[in-house]
Amino acid sequence: MAADTLESDRRTDYPERVLRVLVHIQRNLDDDLPLDELAEIACFSPFHFHRIFTGMVGEPVARHIRRLKLERAANRLKHTRREVLGIALEAGYESHAAFTRAFRAAYGISPTDFRAARLPALMESASGVHYDAGSEPPAFSPVSPEDNTMDVEIRSLEPTRVAFLRHVGPYDEVGSTWERLTDWVGRECLFGPDVRFFGMCWDDPEVTPPDRIRYDACVTVDETVEPEGEIGLTTVEGGRFAVVLHQGPYDRLGETYAALLGRWFPRSGHSPGDPPSLELYLNDPDGTEPEELLTEIWMPTGGSR
Amino acid sequence: MSARAEKLDLFKLHKAEYSARRKPTLVEIGPGSYLTVRGRGAPGSELFSQRAEVLYAMAYTLKFESKFAGRDYTVSKLEGLYGVDGQSMNDLTSMPMSDWNWRLMIRQPDFIVDDNLAAARETLRAKGKEGDFEAATLETLEEGTCVQMLHVGPYEEESRTVEAMTTFAAGEGLTPNLWHHEIYLSDPRRVPPERLRTILRLPVG
């Protein structure tokens, strides 16, 4: 792969930091590997680390660890005569059956047959990183390809006055919070052609435990509107944001976040800032097919990495 | 932000009428009840914006009053009708915008009637909202046979789509009527121009 010098200069920093994490994972495969600890090793904010990792490595941390453990198990099946159950337990499975199921899903063959067939022990890996028995630094090439064209714009946001309702809980349950907020908007007769709806995201829903995810459902309001009951009023801080458009269902926003943070930011010369990030909903999910939903992700820029 | 399956959605109920293909097709449009505001002048003029605000305020007040009374439904898409006195549709783009007559409309369920509109106006006033809410009325429209096509992109580039539609109509031995109907699938205030999706409808009945 021919690398543009300037681009590779810009990119050295992020890959090095993610590589530190990859090495740490390989060397401590049997330990708990909490995300905040991994984020610290890479010197990334825990708000951004998981998406950066997912974007650059091409798989989320938990799946990466699971894959390495399966590759290690395959390796041990291949090169030792140890019992399958022992290898299964080391790979983090509680029974022969659970291990066999996972192994078959990964290799298309049962562990016993695999041992007899002497097949390669490696699974597919977008980043080229595999389990390495010698604990050498893994050969890591960040997932990059087609996203060179990812359409990201740096935009400024003026401070914006909003009425909001705080949701604490699983991200896929924000619907009920939105319904309470829009009922209030309806009751107060605040709907209009220029009213905007957006979410303020304080956590990465793939990292923070579901019952602790904080999300504010926001609607723009003018200065005459007063707080009422559970509805609060606040001013969303202005500033500069990296903005990307996500088309499709909300439950796939994570992929666009990962591409933005793990592929676009590393070569942009910008660094992602502190939470919250914003999700600006461009169409109404009530009456729009999930595939047609348009959401702008506004990621603050310029914070400390 | 999840939608409820059981809720009335006129757009889905009349799916065939909102067919949105990238090539001209013939559709049959039955009678529909529309909350409507009318005016004359360029889209984007002050009157146009004021009327649009009245339309939105009324449409959402109607919806929420109905919802709170136990009968929820999805607010339909914004639609626009454009025409110039005595001119055929084909001449519309060559006419100064100040001569355009327009109607902005949001389709309503059958159970929304004039009494609901009166109640909605009262609610809006009680909330201290100002606006010419009398300007929004219920109108029935039955367009019959129409040529319809999806336009993707800025409104300024509609002429190519309209041309494909009129050529198709001529091939069918049909002549477009006096107005030009647009159904806005995306909101131009939020969605970038190149991604705007608009159904164009030319009545030929």
Side-chain angles (χ1 to χ4, degrees), chain A residues 125-271:
Chain A
S125 160
S127 59
V129 176
H130 292 284
Y131 170 69
D132 186 277
S135 70
E136 288 295 308
F140 167 50
S141 49
V143 176
S144 67
E146 72 283 12
D147 288 309
N148 283 319
T149 55
M150 189 177 194
D151 210 351
V152 179
E153 254 183 63
I154 300 293
R155 286 199 228 160
S156 292
L157 180 76
E158 294 297 312
T160 306
R161 186 177 154 87
V162 296
F164 75 100
L165 189 51
R166 169 66 57 100
H167 167 88
V168 181
Y171 181 76
D172 58 8
E173 288 175 13
V174 299
S176 61
T177 303
W178 273 108
E179 180 154 14
R180 295 204 320 276
L181 181 72
T182 49
D183 278 359
W184 174 80
V185 174
R187 199 172 297 120
E188 295 302 310
C189 303
L190 298 173
F191 273 96
D194 296 316
V195 169
R196 298 278 179 285
F197 292 93
F198 57 90
M200 263 199 279
C201 309
W202 299 91
D203 297 290
D204 175 350
E206 287 171 64
V207 171
T208 303
D211 59 328
R212 279 195 270 148
I213 294 168
R214 294 159 304 159
Y215 171 97
D216 294 329
C218 302
V219 56
T220 54
V221 292
D222 66 25
E223 56 292 337
T224 64
V225 175
E226 308 269 345
E228 187 194 336
E230 59 176 0
I231 309 288
L233 278 173
T234 188
T235 298
V236 178
E237 262 183 68
R240 288 170 77 69
F241 290 77
V243 182
V244 67
L245 186 63
H246 167 83
Q247 174 163 1
Y250 299 135
D251 61 11
R252 299 190 64 176
L253 276 164
E255 295 167 26
T256 304
Y257 275 107
L260 176 67
L261 284 158
R263 296 177 210 159
W264 185 83
F265 265 107
R267 58 169 85 89
S268 70
H270 295 278
S271 32

Side-chain angles (χ1 to χ4, degrees), chain A residues 48-69:
Chain A
H48 298 305
F49 166 69
H50 191 253
R51 288 157 171 167
I52 292 170
F53 183 98
T54 306
M56 293 192 87
V57 181
E59 59 195 347
V61 172
R63 205 190 321 150
H64 177 74
I65 294 172
R66 205 158 49 235
R67 178 170 65 78
L68 291 189
K69 285 183 176 175

Side-chain angles (χ1 to χ4, degrees), chain A residues 12-25:
Chain A
T12 31
D13 185 29
Y14 276 65
E16 253 175 42
R17 290 153 80 184
V18 169
L19 184 60
R20 287 209 294 274
V21 173
L22 292 170
V23 170
H24 180 83
I25 290 174

Side-chain angles (χ1 to χ4, degrees), chain B residues 64-96:
Chain B
F64 279 97
E65 299 213 315
S66 182
K67 178 180 180 184
F68 299 147
R71 218 169 181 184
D72 197 10
Y73 60 89
T74 298
V75 175
S76 296
K77 310 284 185 202
L78 178 69
E79 309 191 24
L81 281 187
Y82 302 88
V84 174
D85 298 333
Q87 302 290 321
S88 87
M89 200 353 267
N90 296 336
D91 298 331
L92 186 59
T93 47
S94 60
M95 301 298 294

